[in-house]
Amino acid sequence: MLTLLRDLRRLRSGLALPRPERPGSLAIRHVDAGSCNGCEHELVLTSSPHYDLQRFGLGLVASPRHADVLLVTGTVTTRMREPLLTAYRAMPEPRRVAALGDCALGCHPLGTASELVGPVDALFPVDLRIPGCPPTPDAIAAALLELLDRPAGRRLGRT
Amino acid sequence: MTAVSGAEGYRERIGTALAGSWRFAGLHATAGGTAVRVLLAAPDGSTRLESVAAERATAPSIVDLVPAAAWDEREAHDLQGVAFAGHDPLRPLVDHDPDLGRWTVPVRGHDPYEVAVGPIHAGVIESGHFRFHVVGDRILHLDIRLFYKHRGLERAAEGATLEQGMAYVGRACAACTVANGVAYAHACEEALGLRPTAELRRARTILLELERIWSHLNDIAAVCAGVGLAAGNTRFAALTERARRLNAALTGHRFLFRTVAVAGSALALGPDELRAAREELTALREEAASGWRELAFNASFQDRLPEIGVVAAAAARRLGTTGPAARAAGVREDVRAASPRLAYDGFVAVVPERATGDVQARFEQRALELWQSFTLLDALLEHPLGPAVAERSDAERELGVGRVESPRGATSCVVERRGDRIERLRLRTGSYASWPAVAHAAADDLLPDFPLINKSFELCYACTDR
Ligand code: SF4
């Protein structure tokens, strides 16, 4: 156990992103609306020692009711349309929506048209676009930090 | 070469084959639902397809012979409209319209109630729905409803050229993109009468093992997370990150996207890249081994693993469970042991000493396979690699089959073609085969243990749903 903790301390000091002074925080609720799981796998690693996004006040939360940001991956499938809208409606204002990955953004959708609703902005306004297939943890971290630095409550999205 | 037979004696032929050494490897309805085909595989790597006409959109069921065919028949009903005589009740699988009562198993008795979880889960997890029938905290039965992420990829690929088909297969799932891609490439090449050269076999085997390494590192991290051991989780997450960086250094993509193609490979690795890659793999192996030792001696962590989520060998065989989950139960089967189209000569499947099919055995199995993959890769990366092609070996045919051991088990791909276009594509992944085992493993255990049990399988939803 001690070895594990020592390794982690070394990793954090040697590898993690530098932490500039940054006030504030964002609670993020992720919803997989029909991804290939690549975007999720990269998102998971933003909490690994190399990136450690929690240090910046960015945390993934379990309930949309606790969330500032809805982070959506994948082209929205017909079967995920309702669950996604339910999560969105459950969020307090001001809420922001981030579309993670090319699928969520509507680039090169793959599949049968009748099984797909379309990109995230077919359902509600998107505040942050994170392109890539999948975006690297670096790119995800940079985009979310940019959102953190934006003045809050500029727009209140409504369904 | 896959043998194809049809017409009379469909059930008898399948029954006889299964009584011998053949194993069920998938069932699908053809485009338009006019026929049903069953894929069988033998331990020596040979495959055969048994077909039956679906007259008046009905085919004889084989679930009484092979319970593992249950999901396949339900899917063929929902997507191609084929009914299966003798499969009763034929519950919906992909179709989400029917009422709850149609797709759940009725549970009666004192005080049972239902706990519905998902499709959206608490963490960063793919979407899927679990309906637990419980008494107190004890799980009586679990109904799993997936296919929330069904994108209709197979249907969308119909009419595409064999070359274009790779895009659909490759993006079905990021965690299995290589395994799915190679299974598809093998299927196309069998149909085209092509055989990979030694160089092409080596290129694909390197990619498959790189995929297994990041995947198994990720799975070890996931089990630590399932127990709440943050130190173990972050340690192995950091190793997963490094494995993905290595993928990017070798192929330009962290998940090895677009590295597999039909009939060839563009992957070129020079001496300097190879040296750097082997050094990094040695370092990764040492750090993984040191992290693993720490976990092995952490008593409070280890106490959480044994005797929960059990899938014993008999159940694994009956349910058609495959990959690490089956091997952890002592079923010593691995497609790599008979893969003439890949560079696995002399490969022998490993199983843990204590092959009890519980969470601990599945956890241990990942480590055993990880060490094996490091050794394989070290040898595969000894010599420079150049672009490679497949060469002509047999006559062309309308149909081809590919089978590959993905990080989550045996993945089969069947391609039926007309000219150079796809008429029907079926991709049956290791995850698809093993999901029923997750429900089996959960029964009789406590509800709060389910996240850990699920993590010990760490199956994909994306390539199951397609
Ligand atoms: S953007 Fe790429 S990685 Fe992300 S879900 Fe789509 S196909 Fe997968």
Side-chain angles (χ1 to χ4, degrees), chain B residues 54 125 173 180 185 187 189 193 220 240 318 337 372 412 417 463:
Chain B
I125 301 171
C173 177
N180 292 343
E189 287 160 15
I220 293 173
T240 310
R318 179 165 44 83
Q372 209 177 17
S412 307
R417 67 176 179 128
C463 57

Side-chain angles (χ1 to χ4, degrees), chain B residues 18-31:
Chain B
L18 294 170
S21 61
W22 293 88
R23 300 257 185 277
F24 173 78
L27 172 152
H28 71 275
T30 55

Side-chain angles (χ1 to χ4, degrees), chain B residues 227-414:
Chain B
V227 172
L229 182 68
N233 171 251
T234 38
R235 186 71 192 92
F236 278 87
L239 294 174
T240 310
E241 168 65 21
R242 271 173 65 182
R244 288 210 198 126
R245 288 184 184 185
L246 175 64
N247 291 346
L250 291 176
T251 70
H253 198 280
R254 286 164 56 90
F255 291 84
L256 311 163
F257 278 12
R258 292 177 303 278
T259 53
V260 184
V262 176
S265 160
L267 185 62
L269 300 172
D272 293 343
E273 282 164 304
L274 290 177
R275 197 172 322 112
R278 290 174 78 198
E279 274 170 22
E280 176 64 355
L281 284 164
T282 308
L284 275 176
R285 180 189 195 141
E286 278 167 12
E287 292 194 27
S290 121
W292 183 258
R293 261 194 310 278
E294 290 303 307
L295 296 176
F297 289 112
N298 186 328
S300 62
F301 169 70
Q302 291 291 338
D303 276 354
R304 289 284 283 112
L305 310 179
E307 284 154 41
I308 56 165
V310 178
V311 181
R317 286 197 188 283
R318 179 165 44 83
L319 297 169
T321 313
T322 169
R327 290 189 285 276
V331 178
R332 201 183 284 271
E333 284 177 13
D334 191 314
V335 182
R336 288 179 287 176
S339 288
R341 286 173 184 266
L342 292 166
Y344 285 117
D345 315 316
F347 179 90
V348 180
V350 282
V351 297
E353 227 167 88
R354 194 187 145 281
T356 47
D358 56 7
V359 169
Q360 188 182 49
R362 283 189 291 276
F363 188 55
E364 175 106 29
Q365 180 68 25
R366 291 323 194 298
L368 293 175
E369 294 187 10
L370 201 50
W371 316 141
Q372 209 177 17
S373 292
F374 278 122
T375 307
L376 282 170
L377 265 181
D378 194 56
L380 289 163
L381 294 172
E382 226 169 300
H383 306 291
L385 182 85
V389 290
E391 53 192 14
R392 179 143 306 282
S393 67
D394 299 292
E396 294 204 21
R397 43 198 287 168
E398 299 294 283
L399 209 147
V401 172
R403 262 169 69 77
V404 165
E405 186 73 25
S406 84
R408 280 151 287 279
T411 290
S412 307
C413 184
V414 180

Side-chain angles (χ1 to χ4, degrees), chain A residues 1 3-4 7-8 29 32 35-38 41-42 45 50-51 62 77 79-80 103 108 110-112 133 137, chain B residues 94 121-123 126-127 147-149 151-152 156 167 171 173-174 234-235 238 241 244-245 253-255 294 298:
Chain A
M1 204 54 206
T3 315
L4 268 182
D7 279 359
L8 287 174
R29 172 64 253 199
D32 163 15
S35 76
C36 82
N37 202 12
H41 271 299
E42 293 295 54
L45 284 189
H50 292 82
Y51 308 97
T77 62
R79 292 163 175 79
M80 278 309 292
C103 286
H108 321 294
L110 272 188
T112 304
C133 180
Chain B
V94 188
H121 301 283
E126 293 186 84
S127 294
F147 301 91
Y148 283 86
K149 298 162 57 126
R151 289 145 284 163
R171 270 169 67 194
C173 177
T234 38
R235 186 71 192 92
E241 168 65 21
R244 288 210 198 126
R245 288 184 184 185
H253 198 280
R254 286 164 56 90
F255 291 84
E294 290 303 307
N298 186 328

Side-chain angles (χ1 to χ4, degrees), chain B residues 12 17 38 87 95 102 119 124 157 163-164 170 180 193 197 205 264 274 290 324 330 359 364 412 422 432 463:
Chain B
E12 288 69 23
V38 171
H87 189 151
D95 184 0
R102 284 271 323 281
V124 179
E163 203 187 315
Q164 290 164 345
N180 292 343
T197 56
T205 311
L274 290 177
S290 121
V359 169
E364 175 106 29
S412 307
I422 297 170
Y432 186 98
C463 57

